[in-house]
């Protein structure tokens, strides 16, 4: 599909992802388009969460909010990982102060009622938001599309929302492995088609969020996650090759420090690292892997005084080194992050001489 998008003016993140040298270190922030921005909170008084997700003009507006305010090097389309369970026929509510709630969680008995057929066509609005946003960005920075990973989606679907232990979803892994694989396969198929749709709509990078990886161990991750994450990367790479496109693939498996090497062999161009992992350890474990690292300032570091933030950022960059590196937080930004601290963070990154 040709879209005639405006030419890209800032390719720092694409360069870093491919192992080329950018003019400055690229920086963006997970969950940058949302809740900590006063303009977003104002916007949310007029529109419900899923109304914004499902209305391309509104999703585009929110995506652009942090780009107007800050000198970020990438944008990420406003949406949520839970639009997939929604498209599969599950009810998802966004409750103020609680987070996402799925009032009728998935069970062994009702899992066959998931509506795989047509799921991606019910997510067409995400593609439309991406295309519109690519035009409105006017080439200022590249645009990320994203999806939840199979295991993270499975967790929310079975738990019916967030959970401290994920014990209901993990029970499936231990007690019902066949049904778990059936569900993870179904989600993988939908995720692949969904991400291809986002690429065709104009996404220049894709991030897969496995935010619930931290609840598993190496054995469970090898059995129930790595094969599916690999299938996703391979299918996307085949699609990109056949359609002669160049799109960067990023995997953020939060807390999966028990299998960094295995993650590096899945076919993604970039690995996101959470803040609990030592930068030097990451670099030493992955030194022969030709992979770019993204991360990993503790989101809570933004509560520190300005001078401390600058010191922590400089120290982090020293430890990661400036090659094959994209600066980010080690998880999504929190709703009460001071907006000046975000500016300090970005300026500290961009002031590093390469
Ligand atoms: C686990 C997860 C979810 N959603 C997402 C993840 C993976 C990333 C991560 O681990 O943080 C991903 C996500 N959610 C949202 C984006 C938008 C783009 C961005 O700015 O990064 C992205 C990339 C918007 C959102 N998603 C949500 C909000 C706030 C809801 C509101 O405005 O009422 C936003 C802006 C709601 C949401 N959605 C989800 C939760 C747990 C919550 C409630 C807590 C919270 O606020 O983060 C599920």
């Amino acid at each position: 599909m040709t879209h005639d998008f405006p030419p890209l003016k800032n390719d720092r993140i694409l360069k870093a992802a491919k192992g080329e040298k950018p003019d400055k270190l690229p920086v963006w922030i997970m969950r940058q388009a949302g809740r900590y921005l006063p303009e977003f909170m104002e916007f949310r008084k007029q529109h419900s969460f899923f109304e914004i997700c499902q209305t391309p003009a509104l999703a585009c507006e929110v995506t652009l909010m942090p780009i107007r305010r800050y000198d970020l090097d990438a944008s990420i389309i406003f949406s949520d990982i839970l639009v997939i369970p929604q498209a599969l026929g599950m009810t998802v509510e966004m409750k103020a102060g609680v987070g996402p709630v799925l009032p009728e969680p998935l069970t062994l008995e009702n899992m066959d009622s998931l509506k795989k057929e047509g799921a991606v066509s019910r997510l067409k609005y995400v593609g439309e938001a991406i295309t519109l946003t690519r035009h409105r960005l006017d080439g200022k920075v590249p645009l990320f599309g994203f999806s939840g990973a199979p295991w993270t989606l499975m967790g929310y679907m079975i738990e019916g929302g967030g959970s401290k232990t994920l014990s209901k979803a993990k029970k499936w892994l231990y007690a019902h492995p066949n049904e778990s694989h059936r569900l993870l396969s179904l989600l993988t198929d939908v995720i692949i088609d969904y991400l291809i749709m986002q690429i065709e709509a104009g996404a220049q990078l894709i991030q897969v969020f496995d935010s619930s990886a931290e609840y598993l161990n190496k054995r469970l991750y090898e059995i129930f996650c790595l094969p599916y994450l690999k299938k996703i990367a391979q299918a996307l790479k085949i699609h990109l090759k056949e359609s002669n496109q160049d799109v960067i693939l990023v995997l953020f498996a939060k807390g999966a420090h028990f299998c960094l090497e295995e993650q590096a062999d899945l076919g993604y161009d970039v690995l996101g690292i959470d803040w609990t992992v030592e930068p030097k350890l990451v670099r030493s474990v992955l030194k022969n892997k030709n992979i770019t690292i993204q991360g990993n300032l503790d989101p809570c570091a933004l509560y520190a005084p300005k001078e401390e933030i600058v010191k922590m950022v400089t120290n982090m960059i020293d430890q990661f080194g400036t090659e094959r590196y994209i600066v980010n937080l080690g998880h999504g930004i929190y709703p009460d992050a001071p907006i000046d601290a975000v500016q300090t963070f970005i300026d500290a990154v961009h002031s590093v001489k390469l």
Side-chain angles (χ1 to χ4, degrees), residues 28-35 40 44 49 76-82 94 98-100 146 152 156 209 211 252 254 331-332 335:
W28 71 285
I29 296 174
M30 286 188 277
R31 315 292 295 270
Q32 67 189 23
R35 55 226 173 124
F40 175 76
R44 277 283 277 115
F49 181 75
I76 179 160
I77 195 66
F78 187 84
S79 183
D80 199 82
I81 62 166
L82 298 175
M94 204 52 82
V98 179
F146 69 89
T152 292
Y156 278 97
F209 286 93
S211 306
F252 176 59
K254 181 171 184 281
H331 194 202

Side-chain angles (χ1 to χ4, degrees), residues 2 37 69 90 95 99 118 193 215 242 255 268 276 288 297 303 334 340 342:
T2 47
L37 288 174
R69 189 186 264 273
M90 296 184 77
K95 292 224 162 118
D193 289 348
Y215 294 89
E242 284 172 358
Y268 294 84
T276 64
N288 300 319
L297 191 77
Y303 302 130
Y334 294 128
D340 293 345
V342 175

Side-chain angles (χ1 to χ4, degrees), residues 32-34 37 39 56-70 72 75-78 129 132-141 143:
Q32 67 189 23
L37 288 174
E39 54 270 37
L58 300 181
C60 171
E61 177 57 29
V62 177
T63 303
L64 295 177
M65 282 174 182
I67 304 303
R68 292 201 187 101
R69 189 186 264 273
Y70 301 114
L72 290 155
S75 55
I76 179 160
I77 195 66
F78 187 84
L132 176 65
T133 307
R134 262 295 290 275
H135 283 290
R136 291 281 159 80
L137 275 165
D138 197 25
K140 197 172 173 202
V141 291
L143 178 62

Side-chain angles (χ1 to χ4, degrees), residues 135-333:
H135 283 290
R136 291 281 159 80
L137 275 165
D138 197 25
K140 197 172 173 202
V141 291
L143 178 62
F144 267 92
F146 69 89
S147 170
W151 159 245
T152 292
L153 294 181
M154 173 178 171
Y156 278 97
M157 290 161 75
I158 293 172
E159 300 286 338
S163 154
K164 282 217 163 73
T165 58
L166 260 91
S167 61
K168 292 195 187 82
K170 286 179 71 178
K171 180 174 178 183
W172 279 49
L173 304 185
Y174 284 107
H176 311 290
N178 294 339
E179 287 82 356
S180 297
H181 281 299
R182 205 142 61 79
L183 175 59
L184 291 163
S185 292
L186 179 150
L187 289 168
T188 299
D189 291 345
V190 174
I191 290 166
I192 289 170
D193 289 348
Y194 178 50
L195 291 176
I196 288 177
M197 183 268 272
Q198 294 188 31
I199 289 169
E200 289 310 302
Q204 290 147 295
L205 306 100
I206 292 290
Q207 179 155 318
V208 176
F209 286 93
D210 209 356
S211 306
S212 303
E214 63 190 342
Y215 294 89
L216 304 184
N217 57 23
K218 187 161 180 173
R219 181 179 158 268
L220 291 175
Y221 212 69
E222 277 175 349
I223 301 172
F224 295 104
C225 301
L226 293 176
Y228 299 105
L229 293 168
K230 185 168 189 173
K231 191 171 173 198
I232 293 168
Q234 281 178 339
L236 296 183
K237 288 288 180 189
I238 289 171
H239 175 81
L240 291 169
K241 198 162 178 209
E242 284 172 358
S243 57
N244 197 22
Q245 297 182 83
D246 197 9
V247 168
I248 301 299
L249 306 183
V250 184
L251 172 64
F252 176 59
K254 181 171 184 281
H257 40 74
F258 45 75
C259 65
L260 285 171
E261 273 186 278
E262 289 80 0
Q263 288 180 57
D265 292 333
L266 296 174
Y268 294 84
D269 306 290
V270 180
L271 290 187
I273 305 290
D274 73 85
W275 79 91
T276 64
V277 190
E278 278 304 309
K280 282 201 168 141
L281 177 83
V282 175
R283 285 299 194 192
S284 83
V285 172
L286 302 180
K287 64 176 176 299
N288 300 319
K289 298 284 189 190
N290 256 352
I291 198 154
T292 295
I293 300 303
Q294 173 175 283
N296 77 343
L297 191 77
D298 183 352
C300 292
L302 297 178
Y303 302 130
K306 190 172 172 176
E307 308 73 53
E308 276 299 312
I309 296 175
V310 175
K311 264 194 222 154
M312 288 186 281
V313 170
T314 317
N315 182 42
M316 173 177 75
I317 294 171
D318 274 351
Q319 290 193 53
F320 274 117
T322 55
E323 275 170 41
R324 278 199 172 269
Y325 183 36
I326 297 165
V327 184
N328 204 315
L329 301 180
H331 194 202
I333 187 166

